[in-house]
Amino acid sequence: MSLEACLPADLRGPTTTITRVAAGQSGAGVYRVEAAGQAFVLKLSGESEPLAGWRRKVHTQQLAANTGLAPRVIHVDEERRAVVSAFVVDRSFPAFYWDPRTREAALTQLGRTVRRVHELPLPPDADVKEPREFLAALWSGLVANFALPTFVGEAVQRVLTEEPPARERAPVLSHNDVNPTNLVYDGENLLLLDWETAGPNDPFYDLAAISVFLRMDEATCQRLLAAYDGEPVSRLPARFAYSRRLVAVLCGVAFLHLSRQFGHAGATGGETLDSTPSLSDFYQRLRTGSLNLATGEGRWWFGLALVKASLTPP
């Protein structure tokens, strides 16, 4: 299949360039398109994906784009499972968040943005996303033939066996993958990318996810929830704390699974909870170049650091 054939007619031509770019974890082919003096993003789903499921994903993406929560959708090609959207220049939300001068503004915008996501209407045929079921499936496929530190199994079993706190809020349309790589900040607006896993979920799940990845302490988590609710929050709800543990373990196991796919041999016997870097330490190693998230080794240590985060309070 010609990639150019996936574009609308006005973007095809002798000066059009299409370059594959690093993608998220969804497995879709993602390309940068330069045409007519502008930049776009072409995303192709696998040919084996059922049409009905692909349509639901595109519908959700279009809902988000129409309300300014995702880049503008330019073109949809159902036959080729292709979506072309506007390319948004990223000014780095993490930089906005970690700058002491703008941190509170960033935190407020983040909470309000997640709230706007959750205000999108739930499609009547939306797939229900059950994170614990996904974790159980990932874990069973990983633990059978991949050596892992003892604390990983203990963390997984804790999440899978503990009784979840009662739901405090009705399910919403959740993005289900709110992490820094899926946030695009253009200097004014905060948008979300990769709506592949969006579906009904507890509203605390998205909030818990980004709080884990941004290493928020308890007070910061309270301010995030306050920005989301539009009123002060005096305590962290039990369901939010549970969701933090679930997200950290699920994402950690997912990255351990990816590390195996990228050739990592597994535990050597020396990895313990104490010797595993914290998320802060891991991010520092990324900045210095001693670890690379594109490698099996980088994904191994990211997975372990995320699991470790599930065992420590915010």
Side-chain angles (χ1 to χ4, degrees):
M1 178 181 63
S2 165
L3 290 175
E4 190 165 322
C6 300
L7 305 178
D10 60 327
L11 296 186
R12 303 174 195 167
T15 61
T16 296
T17 62
I18 304 176
T19 308
R20 189 178 184 98
V21 297
Q25 308 304 325
S26 65
V30 182
Y31 303 83
R32 176 173 173 139
V33 178
E34 301 277 353
Q38 301 180 71
F40 305 88
V41 176
L42 166 65
K43 190 168 188 177
L44 296 175
S45 296
E47 296 179 357
S48 61
E49 181 173 6
L51 181 58
W54 181 83
R55 285 173 172 165
R56 282 194 296 268
K57 293 176 183 178
V58 173
H59 175 69
T60 299
Q61 182 180 348
Q62 289 176 316
L63 279 177
N66 291 342
T67 53
L69 289 165
R72 184 167 52 96
V73 175
I74 305 296
H75 177 72
V76 175
D77 186 329
E78 185 172 288
E79 180 182 356
R80 297 178 176 86
R81 305 285 202 279
V83 177
V84 179
S85 57
F87 175 81
V88 179
V89 176
D90 185 22
R91 307 295 183 189
S92 179
F93 181 80
F96 181 41
Y97 174 78
W98 287 112
D99 186 335
R101 298 167 299 178
T102 56
R103 186 173 187 183
E104 288 306 313
L107 190 65
T108 298
Q109 186 168 7
L110 177 60
R112 291 175 177 173
T113 299
V114 175
R115 181 63 180 237
R116 289 174 59 210
V117 171
H118 294 173
E119 289 172 347
L120 294 173
L122 267 172
D125 58 346
D127 286 333
V128 176
K129 309 294 182 181
E130 178 42 66
R132 291 213 322 179
E133 292 180 3
F134 183 43
L135 171 59
L138 268 181
W139 180 245
S140 64
L142 182 67
V143 71
N145 54 8
F146 193 56
L148 294 160
T150 301
F151 77 86
V152 174
E154 293 173 347
V156 171
Q157 291 308 315
R158 175 190 179 187
V159 168
L160 291 180
T161 58
E162 71 176 308
E163 184 68 25
R167 290 186 182 272
E168 302 178 31
R169 307 185 182 196
V172 295
L173 179 58
S174 177
H175 180 276
N176 287 328
D177 194 12
V178 182
N179 72 77
T181 65
N182 282 334
L183 296 177
V184 173
Y185 178 62
D186 66 5
E188 181 177 351
N189 302 298
L190 183 59
L191 309 178
L192 284 91
L193 307 177
D194 200 349
W195 292 77
E196 294 286 316
T197 59
N201 206 343
D202 190 296
F204 286 136
Y205 187 86
D206 280 345
L207 294 162
I210 194 58
S211 77
V212 168
F213 283 102
L214 291 179
R215 311 188 329 272
M216 295 183 187
D217 59 19
E218 182 173 353
T220 307
C221 288
Q222 289 178 353
R223 297 201 302 277
L224 173 67
L225 294 183
Y228 178 90
D229 285 338
E231 59 184 25
V233 171
S234 60
R235 65 173 183 85
L236 292 182
R239 187 82 186 189
F240 174 83
Y242 162 78
S243 295
R244 275 181 58 95
R245 294 193 296 275
L246 174 57
V247 167
V249 172
L250 174 56
C251 293
V253 170
F255 271 95
L256 292 172
H257 179 76
L258 288 169
S259 76
R260 181 177 65 174
Q261 290 183 336
F262 274 66
H264 197 278
T268 62
E271 300 92 340
T272 65
L273 183 62
D274 289 339
S275 67
T276 294
S278 66
L279 274 177
S280 179
D281 292 336
F282 173 79
Y283 291 151
Q284 179 61 26
R285 294 184 189 185
L286 286 184
R287 286 191 289 270
T288 62
S290 63
L291 284 175
N292 184 343
L293 198 52
T295 66
E297 183 76 2
R299 295 176 185 213
W300 168 259
W301 287 111
F302 193 27
L304 293 185
L306 283 165
V307 173
K308 181 173 182 173
S310 77
L311 299 171
T312 56

